[in-house]
Amino acid sequence: PNYAEARLLRVTAYLSLARAAQALTDLDELLRQRPNDVPLLVLHANVLREMRQTDRAVSELTRALAIDPRSAVAHDGLGYTYLSIGKLAHALTSFDRAVEFNPKDGSAFAGRGETYVFLGNVPKALVDLDQALVLTPLNDEARAARALALLMKGNSAEAVPEIDRVLERNPRHALALLARGVAMLGSSQYDRAIVVLDPLVGNSRYDLYARVLRGRAYLGRGEPAKALDDVNGVILLRPNALDAFLVRGMARSALKDYDAALGDLDTVLKDQETIEAYWARARVYEATNRPDRASADLRRATELAPRSPFDTVAQLAAKMKIEKLSKQTPCPSGGSSGDGSCL
Protein backbone atom coordinates (compact mmCIF):
# COMPACT_ATOMS: atom_id res chain seq x y z
CA PRO A 1 0.00 0.00 0.00
CA ASN A 2 2.96 2.37 0.39
CA TYR A 3 4.38 1.67 -3.07
CA ALA A 4 4.20 5.25 -4.40
CA GLU A 5 5.17 4.50 -8.00
CA ALA A 6 2.37 1.95 -8.41
CA ARG A 7 -0.15 4.33 -6.89
CA LEU A 8 1.00 7.10 -9.24
CA LEU A 9 0.52 4.79 -12.23
CA ARG A 10 -2.97 4.04 -10.99
CA VAL A 11 -3.65 7.79 -10.81
CA THR A 12 -2.65 8.06 -14.46
CA ALA A 13 -4.97 5.18 -15.35
CA TYR A 14 -7.88 6.69 -13.41
CA LEU A 15 -7.41 10.06 -15.13
CA SER A 16 -7.33 8.42 -18.58
CA LEU A 17 -10.72 6.87 -17.70
CA ALA A 18 -12.09 10.22 -16.42
CA ARG A 19 -12.38 8.80 -12.90
CA ALA A 20 -11.14 11.94 -11.14
CA ALA A 21 -12.57 11.18 -7.70
CA GLN A 22 -10.66 7.89 -7.46
CA ALA A 23 -7.50 9.54 -8.75
CA LEU A 24 -7.89 12.18 -6.06
CA THR A 25 -8.07 9.52 -3.33
CA ASP A 26 -4.74 8.08 -4.47
CA LEU A 27 -3.20 11.53 -4.75
CA ASP A 28 -4.28 12.36 -1.21
CA GLU A 29 -2.43 9.27 0.01
CA LEU A 30 0.66 10.12 -2.05
CA LEU A 31 0.74 13.63 -0.61
CA ARG A 32 0.50 12.19 2.89
CA GLN A 33 3.72 10.34 2.09
CA ARG A 34 5.39 13.23 0.19
CA PRO A 35 3.79 16.51 1.35
CA ASN A 36 6.40 18.79 -0.26
CA ASP A 37 6.55 17.13 -3.68
CA VAL A 38 5.85 20.06 -6.05
CA PRO A 39 4.92 18.06 -9.19
CA LEU A 40 2.59 15.96 -7.04
CA LEU A 41 0.97 19.08 -5.54
CA VAL A 42 0.46 20.46 -9.06
CA LEU A 43 -1.11 17.23 -10.29
CA HIS A 44 -3.37 17.16 -7.22
CA ALA A 45 -4.42 20.77 -7.89
CA ASN A 46 -5.09 20.09 -11.56
CA VAL A 47 -7.44 17.24 -10.65
CA LEU A 48 -9.18 19.49 -8.13
CA ARG A 49 -9.63 22.09 -10.87
CA GLU A 50 -11.20 19.56 -13.21
CA MET A 51 -13.58 18.63 -10.38
CA ARG A 52 -14.36 22.38 -10.10
CA GLN A 53 -12.90 22.65 -6.60
CA THR A 54 -11.01 25.77 -7.63
CA ASP A 55 -10.46 27.26 -4.17
CA ARG A 56 -8.65 24.10 -3.08
CA ALA A 57 -6.72 24.05 -6.36
CA VAL A 58 -5.50 27.63 -5.86
CA SER A 59 -4.50 26.77 -2.28
CA GLU A 60 -2.48 23.73 -3.42
CA LEU A 61 -0.74 25.66 -6.20
CA THR A 62 0.07 28.54 -3.87
CA ARG A 63 1.61 26.01 -1.51
CA ALA A 64 3.64 24.51 -4.38
CA LEU A 65 4.95 27.96 -5.33
CA ALA A 66 5.90 28.68 -1.73
CA ILE A 67 8.16 25.60 -1.93
CA ASP A 68 9.48 26.40 -5.43
CA PRO A 69 8.66 29.92 -6.68
CA ARG A 70 10.25 29.17 -10.07
CA SER A 71 8.14 26.10 -10.82
CA ALA A 72 6.82 26.63 -14.36
CA VAL A 73 4.28 23.80 -14.02
CA ALA A 74 2.85 25.35 -10.84
CA HIS A 75 2.50 28.77 -12.48
CA ASP A 76 0.95 27.02 -15.49
CA GLY A 77 -1.56 25.17 -13.29
CA LEU A 78 -2.43 28.38 -11.46
CA GLY A 79 -2.97 30.12 -14.81
CA TYR A 80 -5.42 27.45 -15.96
CA THR A 81 -7.23 27.57 -12.61
CA TYR A 82 -7.69 31.34 -12.81
CA LEU A 83 -8.75 30.99 -16.45
CA SER A 84 -11.42 28.47 -15.44
CA ILE A 85 -13.07 30.99 -13.08
CA GLY A 86 -12.75 33.99 -15.38
CA LYS A 87 -9.95 35.78 -13.52
CA LEU A 88 -8.23 36.59 -16.80
CA ALA A 89 -5.75 39.19 -15.52
CA HIS A 90 -4.55 36.77 -12.84
CA ALA A 91 -4.34 33.99 -15.42
CA LEU A 92 -2.24 36.16 -17.72
CA THR A 93 0.23 36.94 -14.93
CA SER A 94 0.60 33.26 -14.06
CA PHE A 95 1.13 32.19 -17.68
CA ASP A 96 3.70 35.00 -18.12
CA ARG A 97 5.67 33.56 -15.20
CA ALA A 98 5.38 30.01 -16.57
CA VAL A 99 6.76 31.13 -19.94
CA GLU A 100 9.51 33.11 -18.20
CA PHE A 101 10.69 30.07 -16.24
CA ASN A 102 10.25 27.61 -19.12
CA PRO A 103 10.21 29.19 -22.61
CA LYS A 104 9.56 25.74 -24.12
CA ASP A 105 6.37 25.13 -22.15
CA GLY A 106 3.78 24.61 -24.89
CA SER A 107 1.00 24.34 -22.30
CA ALA A 108 1.77 27.81 -20.93
CA PHE A 109 1.75 29.36 -24.41
CA ALA A 110 -1.57 27.61 -25.09
CA GLY A 111 -3.06 28.88 -21.83
CA ARG A 112 -1.84 32.42 -22.39
CA GLY A 113 -3.15 32.35 -25.95
CA GLU A 114 -6.55 31.14 -24.75
CA THR A 115 -6.58 33.90 -22.14
CA TYR A 116 -5.91 36.48 -24.84
CA VAL A 117 -8.83 35.05 -26.86
CA PHE A 118 -11.24 35.66 -23.99
CA LEU A 119 -9.73 39.11 -23.44
CA GLY A 120 -10.49 39.89 -27.09
CA ASN A 121 -6.84 40.33 -28.08
CA VAL A 122 -6.84 38.06 -31.14
CA PRO A 123 -3.44 39.10 -32.62
CA LYS A 124 -1.57 38.24 -29.39
CA ALA A 125 -3.64 35.08 -29.01
CA LEU A 126 -2.64 33.79 -32.44
CA VAL A 127 1.06 34.46 -31.82
CA ASP A 128 1.00 32.43 -28.59
CA LEU A 129 -1.16 29.64 -29.98
CA ASP A 130 1.02 29.26 -33.07
CA GLN A 131 4.04 28.97 -30.76
CA ALA A 132 2.22 26.40 -28.62
CA LEU A 133 1.57 24.25 -31.69
CA VAL A 134 5.21 24.53 -32.76
CA LEU A 135 6.29 23.26 -29.34
CA THR A 136 3.48 20.70 -28.94
CA PRO A 137 1.94 19.87 -32.35
CA LEU A 138 -0.69 17.54 -30.86
CA ASN A 139 -1.90 20.08 -28.29
CA ASP A 140 -5.66 20.00 -28.93
CA GLU A 141 -6.32 22.74 -26.37
CA ALA A 142 -4.08 25.10 -28.35
CA ARG A 143 -5.64 24.03 -31.66
CA ALA A 144 -9.18 24.58 -30.38
CA ALA A 145 -8.25 27.96 -28.89
CA ARG A 146 -6.63 28.94 -32.18
CA ALA A 147 -9.81 27.99 -34.03
CA LEU A 148 -11.81 30.17 -31.64
CA ALA A 149 -9.39 33.07 -32.25
CA LEU A 150 -9.78 32.62 -36.01
CA LEU A 151 -13.57 32.72 -35.63
CA MET A 152 -13.31 35.94 -33.65
CA LYS A 153 -11.26 37.31 -36.52
CA GLY A 154 -13.98 36.26 -38.97
CA ASN A 155 -11.92 33.48 -40.58
CA SER A 156 -14.35 30.57 -40.37
CA ALA A 157 -12.88 28.90 -43.47
CA GLU A 158 -9.66 28.14 -41.59
CA ALA A 159 -11.26 27.70 -38.17
CA VAL A 160 -13.89 25.03 -38.94
CA PRO A 161 -11.43 22.37 -40.24
CA GLU A 162 -9.32 22.90 -37.10
CA ILE A 163 -12.39 22.36 -34.90
CA ASP A 164 -13.27 19.22 -36.84
CA ARG A 165 -9.70 17.94 -36.44
CA VAL A 166 -9.86 18.26 -32.65
CA LEU A 167 -13.34 16.73 -32.36
CA GLU A 168 -12.34 13.76 -34.52
CA ARG A 169 -9.75 12.90 -31.86
CA ASN A 170 -11.96 13.80 -28.91
CA PRO A 171 -15.69 14.34 -29.61
CA ARG A 172 -16.17 15.74 -26.09
CA HIS A 173 -13.39 18.34 -26.20
CA ALA A 174 -15.02 21.26 -24.39
CA LEU A 175 -13.19 24.19 -26.00
CA ALA A 176 -13.64 22.74 -29.49
CA LEU A 177 -17.37 22.34 -28.81
CA LEU A 178 -17.50 25.95 -27.62
CA ALA A 179 -15.78 27.04 -30.83
CA ARG A 180 -18.22 24.96 -32.89
CA GLY A 181 -21.07 26.73 -31.11
CA VAL A 182 -19.62 30.10 -32.12
CA ALA A 183 -19.26 28.91 -35.72
CA MET A 184 -22.89 27.79 -35.81
CA LEU A 185 -24.09 31.08 -34.34
CA GLY A 186 -22.10 32.90 -37.02
CA SER A 187 -23.99 30.99 -39.72
CA SER A 188 -27.38 31.43 -37.97
CA GLN A 189 -27.71 27.71 -37.16
CA TYR A 190 -29.34 28.44 -33.82
CA ASP A 191 -30.91 25.02 -33.17
CA ARG A 192 -27.63 23.23 -33.86
CA ALA A 193 -25.72 25.73 -31.71
CA ILE A 194 -27.99 24.93 -28.75
CA VAL A 195 -27.44 21.19 -29.23
CA VAL A 196 -23.66 21.69 -29.23
CA LEU A 197 -23.62 24.05 -26.25
CA ASP A 198 -26.06 22.18 -24.00
CA PRO A 199 -23.49 19.58 -22.78
CA LEU A 200 -21.10 22.36 -21.73
CA VAL A 201 -23.63 24.09 -19.49
CA GLY A 202 -23.02 23.01 -15.91
CA ASN A 203 -20.50 20.36 -16.95
CA SER A 204 -17.33 22.16 -17.99
CA ARG A 205 -15.07 25.04 -17.10
CA TYR A 206 -16.63 26.86 -20.05
CA ASP A 207 -20.06 26.72 -18.41
CA LEU A 208 -20.56 30.50 -18.20
CA TYR A 209 -19.26 31.19 -21.72
CA ALA A 210 -21.56 28.44 -23.02
CA ARG A 211 -24.55 29.99 -21.24
CA VAL A 212 -23.92 33.38 -22.88
CA LEU A 213 -23.57 31.77 -26.31
CA ARG A 214 -26.68 29.67 -25.77
CA GLY A 215 -28.46 32.87 -24.77
CA ARG A 216 -27.47 34.31 -28.15
CA ALA A 217 -28.87 31.21 -29.85
CA TYR A 218 -32.17 31.56 -28.00
CA LEU A 219 -32.31 35.20 -29.08
CA GLY A 220 -31.69 34.21 -32.67
CA ARG A 221 -34.47 31.64 -32.36
CA GLY A 222 -36.86 34.29 -31.06
CA GLU A 223 -36.93 33.12 -27.44
CA PRO A 224 -35.67 36.12 -25.41
CA ALA A 225 -37.10 34.82 -22.12
CA LYS A 226 -34.89 31.72 -22.33
CA ALA A 227 -31.92 33.92 -23.24
CA LEU A 228 -32.64 36.01 -20.14
CA ASP A 229 -32.60 32.91 -17.93
CA ASP A 230 -29.16 31.91 -19.23
CA VAL A 231 -27.45 35.27 -18.86
CA ASN A 232 -29.05 36.11 -15.51
CA GLY A 233 -27.38 32.97 -14.17
CA VAL A 234 -24.03 34.15 -15.52
CA ILE A 235 -24.35 37.66 -14.06
CA LEU A 236 -25.27 36.19 -10.67
CA LEU A 237 -22.01 34.23 -10.61
CA ARG A 238 -19.83 36.77 -12.41
CA PRO A 239 -21.12 40.33 -11.94
CA ASN A 240 -18.49 41.82 -14.27
CA ALA A 241 -19.38 39.64 -17.29
CA LEU A 242 -19.90 42.31 -19.93
CA ASP A 243 -20.83 39.81 -22.63
CA ALA A 244 -23.69 38.61 -20.43
CA PHE A 245 -24.89 42.18 -19.83
CA LEU A 246 -24.83 42.74 -23.60
CA VAL A 247 -26.97 39.68 -24.33
CA ARG A 248 -29.29 40.57 -21.44
CA GLY A 249 -29.69 44.07 -22.85
CA MET A 250 -30.65 42.63 -26.24
CA ALA A 251 -33.06 40.13 -24.63
CA ARG A 252 -34.73 42.85 -22.57
CA SER A 253 -35.03 45.00 -25.69
CA ALA A 254 -36.72 42.11 -27.51
CA LEU A 255 -39.13 41.84 -24.56
CA LYS A 256 -39.76 45.63 -24.84
CA ASP A 257 -38.31 46.28 -21.38
CA TYR A 258 -36.45 49.24 -22.79
CA ASP A 259 -35.36 51.03 -19.59
CA ALA A 260 -33.76 47.85 -18.24
CA ALA A 261 -32.20 47.16 -21.65
CA LEU A 262 -30.62 50.63 -21.70
CA GLY A 263 -29.22 50.07 -18.21
CA ASP A 264 -27.49 46.87 -19.32
CA LEU A 265 -26.15 48.34 -22.56
CA ASP A 266 -24.91 51.47 -20.77
CA THR A 267 -23.06 49.19 -18.34
CA VAL A 268 -21.28 47.52 -21.26
CA LEU A 269 -20.41 50.73 -23.10
CA LYS A 270 -19.17 52.45 -19.95
CA ASP A 271 -16.41 49.83 -19.68
CA GLN A 272 -15.87 48.76 -23.28
CA GLU A 273 -16.95 50.15 -26.63
CA THR A 274 -18.28 47.40 -28.86
CA ILE A 275 -20.01 47.65 -32.21
CA GLU A 276 -22.72 45.22 -31.17
CA ALA A 277 -23.55 47.18 -28.00
CA TYR A 278 -23.87 50.44 -29.96
CA TRP A 279 -26.07 48.72 -32.54
CA ALA A 280 -28.26 47.21 -29.80
CA ARG A 281 -28.58 50.54 -27.98
CA ALA A 282 -29.41 52.33 -31.23
CA ARG A 283 -32.33 49.95 -31.70
CA VAL A 284 -33.56 50.74 -28.17
CA TYR A 285 -33.30 54.47 -28.85
CA GLU A 286 -35.18 54.02 -32.10
CA ALA A 287 -37.92 52.02 -30.36
CA THR A 288 -38.28 54.75 -27.70
CA ASN A 289 -38.41 57.56 -30.28
CA ARG A 290 -34.99 59.12 -29.65
CA PRO A 291 -33.72 59.38 -33.23
CA ASP A 292 -30.76 61.69 -32.50
CA ARG A 293 -29.27 59.28 -29.98
CA ALA A 294 -30.00 56.34 -32.24
CA SER A 295 -28.21 58.09 -35.11
CA ALA A 296 -25.15 58.81 -32.96
CA ASP A 297 -24.89 55.17 -31.87
CA LEU A 298 -25.34 53.90 -35.42
CA ARG A 299 -22.55 56.16 -36.64
CA ARG A 300 -20.23 55.04 -33.82
CA ALA A 301 -21.00 51.42 -34.68
CA THR A 302 -19.65 52.02 -38.18
CA GLU A 303 -16.45 53.67 -36.93
CA LEU A 304 -15.06 50.94 -34.65
CA ALA A 305 -13.07 47.91 -35.82
CA PRO A 306 -14.90 44.58 -35.33
CA ARG A 307 -13.55 42.37 -32.54
CA SER A 308 -15.82 39.37 -33.08
CA PRO A 309 -18.09 37.86 -35.72
CA PHE A 310 -21.01 39.36 -33.80
CA ASP A 311 -19.48 42.82 -34.20
CA THR A 312 -19.09 42.20 -37.94
CA VAL A 313 -22.78 41.33 -38.33
CA ALA A 314 -23.84 44.30 -36.17
CA GLN A 315 -21.67 46.71 -38.16
CA LEU A 316 -23.16 45.54 -41.44
CA ALA A 317 -26.65 45.98 -39.99
CA ALA A 318 -25.77 49.49 -38.77
CA LYS A 319 -24.47 50.50 -42.20
CA MET A 320 -27.61 49.15 -43.88
CA LYS A 321 -29.77 51.02 -41.37
CA ILE A 322 -27.93 54.30 -42.01
CA GLU A 323 -28.32 53.81 -45.76
CA LYS A 324 -32.03 53.09 -45.37
CA LEU A 325 -32.58 56.15 -43.17
CA SER A 326 -30.67 58.41 -45.55
CA LYS A 327 -33.05 57.43 -48.33
CA GLN A 328 -36.11 57.98 -46.17
CA THR A 329 -35.10 61.31 -44.64
CA PRO A 330 -33.64 64.09 -46.79
CA CYS A 331 -30.55 65.77 -45.39
CA PRO A 332 -30.98 69.30 -44.03
CA SER A 333 -29.93 71.86 -46.65
CA GLY A 334 -29.26 68.95 -49.01
CA GLY A 335 -25.91 68.20 -47.35
CA SER A 336 -24.38 64.73 -47.65
CA SER A 337 -21.19 63.23 -46.30
CA GLY A 338 -20.66 61.12 -49.40
CA ASP A 339 -21.41 57.82 -47.67
CA GLY A 340 -25.17 58.11 -47.91
CA SER A 341 -25.64 59.76 -44.50
CA CYS A 342 -26.23 63.39 -43.62
CA LEU A 343 -23.39 65.69 -42.65
Side-chain angles (χ1 to χ4, degrees):
N2 293 322
Y3 187 16
E5 286 72 15
R7 196 176 289 274
L8 193 56
L9 285 171
R10 190 165 68 176
V11 167
T12 304
Y14 280 144
L15 292 177
S16 71
L17 295 170
R19 292 161 65 176
Q22 288 163 294
L24 197 63
T25 299
D26 274 344
L27 285 168
D28 287 340
E29 174 58 28
L30 285 167
L31 281 171
R32 189 187 63 78
Q33 297 174 28
R34 296 165 11 195
N36 295 321
D37 186 317
V38 170
L40 199 56
L41 283 166
V42 172
L43 180 58
H44 189 251
N46 288 343
V47 174
L48 288 169
R49 181 183 69 241
E50 292 307 313
M51 295 177 70
R52 305 183 78 180
Q53 298 183 36
T54 50
D55 288 344
R56 286 186 65 193
V58 169
S59 176
E60 290 283 80
L61 291 162
T62 303
R63 181 178 157 201
L65 287 168
I67 298 167
D68 181 5
R70 298 178 63 85
S71 170
V73 290
H75 284 293
D76 184 57
L78 193 56
Y80 276 106
T81 305
Y82 284 135
L83 178 59
S84 73
I85 55 176
K87 293 189 174 182
L88 301 182
H90 289 72
L92 204 58
T93 299
S94 293
F95 288 128
D96 282 344
R97 298 301 298 277
V99 169
E100 177 188 350
F101 295 133
N102 183 4
K104 294 185 179 181
D105 184 356
S107 176
F109 278 105
R112 191 168 70 177
E114 186 178 331
T115 305
Y116 278 131
V117 172
F118 289 116
L119 285 169
N121 193 332
V122 172
K124 283 191 173 183
L126 288 172
V127 170
D128 272 350
L129 294 166
D130 285 343
Q131 180 63 17
L133 288 169
V134 167
L135 293 167
T136 50
L138 296 180
N139 187 330
D140 280 343
E141 194 74 13
R143 196 171 300 280
R146 185 175 182 275
L148 187 56
L150 290 168
L151 286 171
M152 299 316 248
K153 195 179 176 183
N155 186 355
S156 59
E158 188 178 349
V160 170
E162 293 284 75
I163 297 168
D164 291 343
R165 187 173 169 183
V166 174
L167 290 175
E168 281 172 10
R169 281 197 288 266
N170 179 4
R172 298 168 60 187
H173 193 283
L175 186 55
L177 288 172
L178 192 78
R180 176 162 281 180
V182 172
M184 288 176 173
L185 284 172
S187 55
S188 302
Q189 299 181 69
Y190 303 120
D191 290 340
R192 293 185 68 195
I194 290 169
V195 170
V196 168
L197 295 166
D198 274 347
L200 301 179
V201 172
N203 295 307
S204 79
R205 64 188 175 95
Y206 301 105
D207 170 34
L208 301 186
Y209 296 110
R211 286 180 192 273
V212 173
L213 291 173
R214 191 173 68 175
R216 287 182 175 277
Y218 282 133
L219 269 181
R221 207 164 72 169
E223 298 179 90
K226 287 186 176 181
L228 209 56
D229 286 342
D230 265 348
V231 294
N232 276 338
V234 174
I235 291 168
L236 185 66
L237 293 170
R238 197 174 293 170
N240 61 343
L242 296 181
D243 52 347
F245 277 100
L246 173 55
V247 174
R248 189 170 75 173
M250 293 190 291
R252 285 173 161 173
S253 176
L255 292 166
K256 302 190 187 317
D257 187 359
Y258 296 122
D259 288 341
L262 274 179
D264 283 337
L265 296 169
D266 286 345
T267 295
V268 175
L269 289 168
K270 181 175 67 176
D271 282 0
Q272 183 180 75
E273 284 191 303
T274 74
I275 293 168
E276 192 179 22
Y278 276 118
W279 162 243
R281 194 171 70 175
R283 296 178 70 187
V284 174
Y285 283 142
E286 183 183 23
T288 53
N289 198 28
R290 287 179 268 188
D292 290 345
R293 292 188 176 187
S295 179
D297 275 0
L298 286 171
R299 183 175 295 282
R300 187 60 180 151
T302 65
E303 293 170 349
L304 297 171
R307 299 178 59 182
S308 74
F310 311 117
D311 274 350
T312 301
V313 171
Q315 189 168 73
L316 178 61
K319 288 178 178 177
M320 291 173 65
K321 184 69 173 179
I322 287 173
E323 184 178 353
K324 180 180 178 182
L325 290 174
S326 70
K327 291 176 180 177
Q328 290 177 347
T329 308
C331 295
S333 305
S336 173
S337 65
D339 63 355
S341 56
C342 296
L343 291 167

